Amino acid sequence: MNERSPRDEHAIAAMAADAAMAGSADDFMRKSIAHRYSYNFSWLGVPIIQYPQDVIALQELVWADRPDLIIETGVAHGGSAVFFASMLELLGGGTVVAIDIDIRPHNRAAIESHPLAKRIVLVEGSSTDAGVVAMVADRARGAQRVMVVLDSDHTHEHVARELELYSPFVKRGGHLAVLDTIVERLPGPFPGRPWGPGNSPGSAVGAFLAKNDRFVVDAEVSDKLLITVAPGGYLRCVRD
Ligand SMILES: C[S@@+](CC[C@H](N)C(=O)[O-])C[C@H]1O[C@@H](n2cnc3c(N)ncnc32)[C@H](O)[C@@H]1O
């Protein structure tokens, strides 16, 4: 048993090793992605493009890690930014720096008029832009514990660059979540999208972990979810 979960890690590992169960989960993921399942939900009134299982996992991580700065790349409608803001509000403090290359006026208006807007700093620009990173670094200087969530452009090159730029902000015990690693496991192609197997958040995480000894996959997270867009994408920092 641990702080994040009432179940012990052996029970979770046994469930994940159950091939029939894992196969059913994979089948559900493939079919539900085809139905754009992640577009079905909202958080406190704002659309969030996530599977509910991942939102629960992120909630557990935020509560356990108690970050005072959450850096999120990829805002879309703003539901995930509002979700992180709501967690920080419950924790009693902290800021979400939410970065998107294209913040549509109606999305900005909804986020800026939300009761939790005071916890959100919206940054419009590419997450890999030097000016954006410098601005984030400035914020991070005053933070004790930083969490990073990458959910923007899902190409290998972009995610690899984000990992290079944003992983240094996370310190030992903290988490860095790379969403949509599942693209690596899907048959593809993805019409109208540049990414696919071999060119995905999953391939970027694989390359990152091969040359970085500060992070490990927090296997318990995806093992217990099974239904997740981020298999192997929840990374725990084990070294400063
Ligand atoms: C999957 S959506 C984000 C979903 C959001 N995190 C949520 O949970 O509701 C991806 C977003 O990434 C943004 N994006 C694409 N390329 C980007 C880049 N280079 N830098 C920052 N954001 C980018 C898109 O504009 C889009 O809004």
Side-chain angles (χ1 to χ4, degrees), residues 40-52:
N40 290 349
F41 308 101
S42 63
W43 188 267
L44 302 182
V46 184
I48 181 169
I49 309 172
Q50 300 298 337
Y51 277 54

Side-chain angles (χ1 to χ4, degrees), residues 48-50 72 74-76 80 100-101 125-127 151-153 158:
I48 181 169
I49 309 172
Q50 300 298 337
E72 172 189 57
V75 176
S80 51
D100 200 295
I101 198 165
S126 177
S127 53
D151 190 24
S152 68
D153 174 337
H158 187 79

Side-chain angles (χ1 to χ4, degrees), residues 42-48 75 77-90 96 105-122:
S42 63
W43 188 267
L44 302 182
V46 184
I48 181 169
V75 176
H77 300 277
S80 51
V82 171
F83 161 70
F84 290 122
S86 67
M87 291 300 302
L88 294 177
E89 182 73 6
L90 287 170
V96 185
H106 60 282
N107 290 332
R108 177 182 288 279
I111 297 166
E112 290 182 345
S113 63
H114 197 277
L116 289 160
K118 65 178 183 194
R119 301 235 165 263
I120 302 171
V121 174
L122 281 176

Side-chain angles (χ1 to χ4, degrees), residues 38-39 46-50 55 72-81 84 99-104 107 123-129 149-154 158 162 179-180 193 195:
S38 61
Y39 289 83
V46 184
I48 181 169
I49 309 172
Q50 300 298 337
V55 178
E72 172 189 57
T73 70
V75 176
H77 300 277
S80 51
F84 290 122
I99 305 157
D100 200 295
I101 198 165
D102 178 17
I103 303 177
R104 305 277 163 90
N107 290 332
V123 179
E124 187 160 19
S126 177
S127 53
T128 56
D129 177 87
V149 181
L150 304 180
D151 190 24
S152 68
D153 174 337
H154 297 322
H158 187 79
E162 284 187 326
L179 302 182
D180 281 328
R193 305 290 202 184
W195 52 81

